[in-house]
Amino acid sequence: MAKAPSRPPKPKVRIPKNRVPKRGGGAAKSSFGVGLITAAGTLGVFVAAALIGLWVVYWGPGPSAREGEATIVTLPSGAGVSAIAANLKSSGVIRSTDLFRAAVSLSGADRKIRAGEYEVPSGASLATVVGLLVDGKAVRHYVTLPEGWSSAQAVDILMKQPVLTGEVEIPAEGSLWPDTYEVSRGETRASVVARMQRAAKTKLDALWAQRSPNTIVTTPEEAMVLASIVEKETGLASERPQVAAVFTNRLRLGMRLESDPTIVYGVTKGRPLGRGIRASELRAQTPWNTYLIDGLPPTPIANPGEEALKAVLNPPRSEYVFFVADGTGGHVFARTYPEHLLNVARWREIERRKAGLPPGQTASVPGATATPMGEGEAAAAPVIIPPGAKVISVPAAAPQ
């Protein structure tokens, strides 16, 4: 009986030992993965929280100002980041010096911070503070000395500027240059005056070098004196050359200047008079009363500006020797005294109309008197020629 063919034996498959899973290994790997995911999630939460915290600190509200609506902080030139951070912290502008240093370092702002005085709003964020310092939005202070103001008034201006320090004596009249000056907190008033005086000398020297042969003045000091009178006589820049020409002609002809502002200066020493000139003041013997003295007064009566000096140093040719107010803020000029009297009469009529008075009645200011030249202040009496005044005609009146 034949035997059934036997099946060949199955080949044995060898499994490498390193591929044979150990008992319990799958569970261990699963636990480790879960742990990594959990740790990563926890770390992410911490990172997110830290980022949110930094965002709040950097962009959120900062400290409130200790006084008022803002805090003034001054950063000196050359100060390092650490010194700046300490300054801001002590001023109550930031809460943490470390966070400030980190913020400016990471943003590159540490190389862009500018010195100066800054006004930091109350509650400003760290981002706002850094932005202010980088943009250089510093507080800038200025003082302006207007043209024609006296040295006493200049000191008044400086004393009213709270960022300046110290006392200062009234400097010599005419020694200050009218201009706008930038000042810094803590600067002394004396140093500002010194700057004004240096500017005056520099400007006067430059203008003196460009003087015309037509000028009547012989020294820079005389130029400053005459220019101060021109400055006070008219507020219109277009009139300064003509006024300078009138005074040049009067000095050249030996006439007295007869300028009202010189009387006022003798009374107030540079302060506003605030009223009309009294007859007693017109006759008062002061060194500046050009109705009574010949030539120029001993000192300027104000601090003139550049245009007044140019007018004196380069006067136009003119035959005018008189002028009076015209009622529009300017003046009308005359060659002869009779012509001038007609102009004065017209001015009196303008005054009368402004005062609402009937024809023939003159507007009056108690104690005031009329003057043949000057700013046309209200007066109570007809034109008076002071003793010693020289009345001449240049040229002689043309025949009618």
Side-chain angles (χ1 to χ4, degrees), residues 3-356:
K3 293 183 180 179
S6 60
R7 295 180 180 178
K10 293 181 180 180
K12 292 183 179 180
V13 179
R14 288 181 170 271
I15 300 175
K17 293 182 179 180
N18 58 355
R19 293 189 181 179
V20 176
K22 295 181 180 179
R23 187 173 294 176
K29 280 195 170 184
S30 177
S31 299
F32 180 70
V34 172
L36 284 177
I37 294 172
T38 304
T42 304
L43 181 60
V45 171
F46 280 118
V47 170
L51 291 174
I52 293 172
L54 289 174
W55 187 90
V56 170
V57 171
Y58 190 69
W59 294 102
S64 299
R66 293 167 182 168
E67 293 183 7
E69 298 299 321
T71 301
I72 300 297
V73 179
T74 302
L75 305 183
S77 180
V81 173
S82 295
I84 292 173
N87 189 346
L88 297 175
K89 178 70 164 57
S90 63
S91 300
V93 170
I94 62 174
R95 291 190 174 92
S96 169
T97 57
D98 293 334
L99 285 175
F100 175 81
R101 287 197 299 267
V104 298
S105 178
L106 292 173
S107 64
D110 53 342
R111 297 182 298 274
K112 302 175 183 178
I113 293 176
R114 303 178 186 181
E117 179 183 325
Y118 294 89
E119 186 178 85
V120 182
S122 179
S125 66
L126 184 55
T128 299
V129 174
V130 173
L132 280 173
L133 306 185
V134 171
D135 293 340
K137 295 179 180 178
V139 178
R140 305 179 74 177
H141 303 279
Y142 299 90
V143 293
T144 298
L145 174 60
E147 296 176 347
W149 284 41
S150 68
S151 293
Q153 289 175 303
V155 170
D156 291 342
I157 293 171
L158 295 177
M159 294 305 296
K160 291 177 182 177
Q161 178 52 267
V163 303
L164 298 177
T165 62
E167 300 292 328
V168 63
E169 295 184 357
I170 297 176
E173 200 67 75
S175 68
L176 308 177
W177 188 253
D179 205 347
T180 296
Y181 298 83
E182 183 171 359
V183 298
S184 56
R185 184 175 294 274
E187 186 175 1
T188 65
R189 294 178 175 90
S191 68
V192 178
V193 166
R195 275 201 281 153
M196 292 178 172
Q197 290 177 322
R198 287 194 298 270
K201 185 179 186 312
T202 299
K203 293 285 189 178
L204 180 58
D205 288 347
L207 293 172
W208 179 254
Q210 300 170 12
R211 69 190 183 280
S212 162
N214 295 330
T215 184
I216 192 67
V217 296
T218 59
T219 66
E221 291 73 25
E222 287 183 356
M224 190 65 77
V225 173
L226 186 54
S228 71
I229 299 174
V230 171
E231 188 77 70
K232 295 296 290 184
E233 280 285 3
T234 178
L236 298 180
S238 60
E239 281 192 348
R240 290 183 188 123
Q242 204 64 269
V243 172
V246 168
F247 287 137
T248 296
N249 289 339
R250 293 177 78 89
L251 289 171
R252 186 168 283 129
L253 294 167
M255 298 175 66
R256 291 176 176 171
L257 294 182
E258 299 179 356
S259 170
D260 291 3
T262 63
I263 297 175
V264 175
Y265 190 83
V267 175
T268 68
K269 302 303 184 292
R271 306 288 185 186
L273 184 59
R275 54 172 174 76
I277 298 172
R278 298 191 176 112
S280 59
E281 293 165 342
L282 187 66
R283 296 189 297 268
Q285 294 283 348
T286 75
W288 295 274
N289 188 345
T290 54
Y291 280 88
L292 302 181
I293 66 171
D294 295 325
L296 295 170
T299 71
I301 61 172
N303 293 282
E306 184 170 357
E307 295 306 314
L309 277 164
K310 285 181 177 179
V312 166
L313 293 172
N314 300 275
R317 294 188 179 277
S318 169
E319 296 177 342
Y320 293 130
V321 288
F322 299 99
F323 62 91
V324 70
D326 63 3
T328 66
H331 296 82
V332 58
F333 297 82
R335 296 175 177 83
T336 67
Y337 187 64
E339 182 183 352
H340 174 62
L341 289 180
L342 291 176
N343 292 334
V344 170
R346 293 189 188 98
W347 167 243
R348 296 297 177 222
E349 179 63 16
I350 292 172
E351 286 184 314
R352 184 191 63 75
R353 290 176 181 175
K354 286 182 177 179

